[in-house]
Amino acid sequence: MSESLRCTPPPPPLVHNQFEAVRELFDRYVVPSYGRFELALARGAGSYVWDVAGRRYLDLGSGIAVCALGHAHPEVSRALVEQAERLVHVSNLYYHEPQGRLAEKVVQHLRGGKVFCANSGAEANEGLFKLARKFGHEEGRFEILTAHNSFHGRTLAGIAATGQEKIKKGFAPMVAGFRHVPFNDLAAMRAALSPATVAVLIEGIQGEGGIAPATPEYLLGLRALCDERRLLLLMDGVQCGHFRTGRFQSFQRLLEGVTGGDGFLPDGVSMAKSLGGGFPIGAFWVRAPYADLLGPGTHATTFGGTPLGCAVALKVFEVIERERLADRARAVGEFLKTELTRLSGQYPGVVRAVRGVGLMLGFELAADLPGWASDPKPPSLQLVQRLHAAGVLTVPSGTHVVRLLPALNLTREQAAEGIEIIAGVIRSLA
Ligand SMILES: *Cc1c(COP(=O)(O)O)cnc(C)c1O
C-alpha cells in the first residue's frame, strides 16, 4: 500500500444496532421529503427483513410492490453479479442482447407491439405522455384525461397527471394538458372529452388511491370510446402489473371470463416497480400500430435498459414463470382476501371494507375509532405503526387504507402468519 493511502484515515465503522445513529445521518444529510417510519432496516431474505437491532419482520409490502421475489433472492443476486462481471452499461448508442430479450418477453405477454426501457414508473409514464403528444401533434391534440385519486409519479408531468390535489400543492404552475374525471365512470369520461383530447390514462387497480379496481365494463367501454374518438388508451401498470393480480397485467385478470375481454388491449402500458424485483428499471409497451411513433431522436434516457438492469429483469421473469408465481399470487391472494374479509365481518367497527385482486389488497379502516384519538396521525399510518410493533410491514394508502403488496412467492404459511398478527392488532383496537 502506498504511503499516502496508509495515511488516509479509515472510514468510520458501519453503524450496527443503532437506530438513532442512522436517523441522525438522515436528519443532517438527507432532504426530508419523506415521512419515514421509525425503522432502519439492515438486511432481508425472502419475505423477511431485519432491522438494525436484529429484529425480524414479515414483509407484506415488499418495498411498495417492488421486491417481486422477496429480498436477496439467490438466483437474482447471481444474475446481477454475473452480468455485472460481464457488462454493466454501454449506452443506447449500441445494441446488446439483454434489452432485446427483455422487450421480447414483455411483448410475448401483450401480443405484439414494442417496448422502451426507462428507469422508473414516473419516467415510463413520461414516455407514454410523449407518445400521446406525438400521436396528436399534427392535429393539435395534446390533452390526456386521467382519473380522480389516480397516481402517476412525482415528476412535473407525473403530478400534473395525478388526480390528487395534495401531490400538486406548492408546485404550480402544473404542466398543461391534463384533466381529471371520476374513476369507473364512463359517462363522465365521455362528457369530458374535448377536441384537444388525445389519450386516456388509468390504472387497472388504483394503488395510491386506496386499492380501487377498474370494472370490466369501464375497461371495455373505454376501449370502445377511444376507438370511436381515435384516442390512445394508456394504462399505468406500475403498481398493479407484473403478475401481482395473477396475470401479467391487471386488465388481463379483471377481464377474465368477461365477454369481449379476450380481445382487449390498451395502446400503451407503463411498468416499473416489480419489473426489476428491486433493481431500478421501468419500461413502457406500445401497441403495434403506434410502436414506431417515437422514431430515432424523439426520446432517450442514458440509463434506460442497461445490460445489468435487463439481465436482472429477465431473471425475475424467468423465476416467476418457472415457479408459476402468478398462480401462487392468485391463490395466496385469495386466501388473504378471504381472511381479511372474515376479520372485517368480525370487527366491522374497525375494518370497513376489503378490496383488491391477487396480491394487491387493501383494507379500509373506520374513521371514528376512539383508539385513533391519542395520535394526530391518520388511521392508516397509526395501524401500519402498530403492525410494525407486532412484526409486520404493510403500506398505507391515503388516510384510511392499509395495503398488502407482498412478494409473489409469499407462502401460504407466511400469509397465515401475517393474518394472525394483523388480526391481533385489529382485535386490540375493537
Ligand atoms: C409508484 C407508481 C408510479 C411512480 O413510479 P416511480 O418508480 O416511483 O417513479 C407511477 N404510477 C403508479 C401507479 C405507481 O404506483
Side-chain angles (χ1 to χ4, degrees):
M1 196 187 281
S2 80
E3 201 53 35
S4 68
L5 268 179
R6 206 174 310 147
C7 292
T8 308
L14 286 175
V15 182
H16 291 297
N17 306 323
Q18 276 182 308
F19 170 73
E20 290 303 330
V22 174
R23 184 167 63 186
E24 170 109 354
L25 289 170
F26 276 67
D27 288 348
R28 278 191 188 204
Y29 302 119
V30 179
V31 170
S33 67
Y34 299 98
R36 293 178 201 269
F37 293 110
E38 304 267 301
L39 208 54
L41 299 170
R43 71 188 174 91
S47 281
Y48 293 101
V49 289
W50 284 262
D51 67 14
V52 287
R55 180 157 185 246
R56 194 182 81 161
Y57 302 82
L58 177 66
D59 185 2
L60 298 182
S62 68
I64 319 189
V66 166
C67 304
L69 299 177
H71 300 277
H73 191 282
E75 281 187 76
V76 175
S77 304
R78 202 177 318 124
L80 188 112
V81 170
E82 281 175 6
Q83 186 60 47
E85 286 171 348
R86 193 175 303 130
L87 192 65
V88 170
H89 173 88
V90 291
S91 101
N92 283 299
L93 293 171
Y94 312 102
Y95 295 92
H96 61 83
E97 189 174 353
Q99 189 180 125
R101 290 264 174 242
L102 179 62
E104 175 186 48
K105 200 84 217 155
V106 171
V107 166
Q108 280 170 358
H109 282 280
L110 291 172
R111 290 184 274 138
K114 288 182 181 171
V115 172
F116 178 93
C117 288
N119 301 285
S120 68
E123 199 195 347
N125 284 333
E126 291 275 344
L128 291 182
F129 305 152
K130 284 182 72 177
L131 177 83
R133 288 207 174 177
K134 196 81 173 33
F135 173 66
H137 180 69
E138 308 261 287
E139 302 165 12
R141 297 194 293 155
F142 57 87
E143 187 182 62
I144 300 172
L145 299 184
T146 73
H148 289 162
N149 292 323
S150 58
F151 181 77
H152 300 298
R154 297 288 197 146
T155 56
L156 277 176
I159 62 174
T162 293
Q164 300 190 47
E165 280 312 306
K166 66 177 186 207
I167 272 162
K168 304 173 192 277
K169 231 175 111 194
F171 299 107
M174 284 295 111
V175 171
F178 295 94
R179 272 190 301 127
H180 315 303
V181 295
F183 188 53
N184 271 335
D185 185 340
L186 192 61
M189 186 66 84
R190 181 179 282 277
L193 299 179
S194 83
T197 307
V198 73
V200 165
L201 169 68
I202 62 154
E203 294 156 84
I205 303 173
Q206 292 189 331
E208 304 305 310
I211 308 292
T215 64
E217 302 74 46
Y218 190 54
L219 292 172
L220 295 176
L222 283 182
R223 181 67 275 176
L225 181 61
C226 287
D227 288 343
E228 177 195 325
R229 304 291 282 265
R230 283 199 320 110
L231 310 171
L232 295 185
L233 176 55
L234 308 175
M235 296 201 55
D236 182 334
V238 170
Q239 189 167 150
C240 58
H242 225 62
F243 308 99
R244 180 155 296 281
T245 57
R247 294 287 295 272
F248 177 54
Q249 288 298 319
S250 64
F251 56 81
Q252 296 169 327
R253 173 76 201 265
L254 295 171
L255 289 169
E256 258 177 18
V258 175
T259 312
D262 263 0
F264 177 94
L265 264 185
D267 299 309
V269 178
S270 57
M271 322 166 194
K273 291 202 162 94
S274 284
L275 181 61
F279 192 91
I281 182 168
F284 68 83
W285 167 88
V286 44
R287 197 160 70 95
Y290 314 110
D292 295 330
L293 260 179
L294 292 173
T298 57
H299 195 46
T301 178
T302 297
F303 290 120
T306 62
L308 186 59
C310 292
V312 172
L314 274 166
K315 183 57 75 177
V316 172
F317 256 112
E318 182 195 316
V319 175
I320 289 173
E321 290 179 339
R322 192 187 63 223
E323 298 186 353
R324 299 180 164 278
L325 294 181
D327 294 342
R328 170 99 71 96
R330 188 183 289 254
V332 175
E334 199 57 50
F335 166 75
L336 281 170
K337 192 172 184 185
T338 303
E339 292 301 312
L340 288 173
T341 305
R342 194 199 311 275
L343 265 178
S344 169
Q346 269 178 311
Y347 304 103
V350 185
V351 179
R352 284 283 151 85
V354 177
R355 289 188 293 272
V357 183
L359 291 177
M360 184 168 183
L361 300 168
F363 53 96
E364 188 175 326
L365 299 162
D368 51 2
L369 218 60
W372 306 137
S374 57
D375 190 330
K377 291 200 188 74
S380 58
L381 264 68
Q382 289 194 43
L383 194 88
V384 168
Q385 275 174 330
R386 285 174 190 250
L387 288 170
H388 287 168
V392 172
L393 305 189
T394 58
V395 185
S397 179
T399 51
H400 290 84
V401 175
V402 173
R403 269 178 288 180
L404 308 186
L405 301 160
L408 306 181
N409 56 4
L410 183 81
T411 65
R412 165 96 182 215
E413 292 69 34
Q414 289 166 337
E417 178 190 339
I419 286 293
E420 203 176 306
I421 296 172
I422 292 169
V425 170
I426 300 286
R427 204 175 303 124
S428 73
L429 277 160

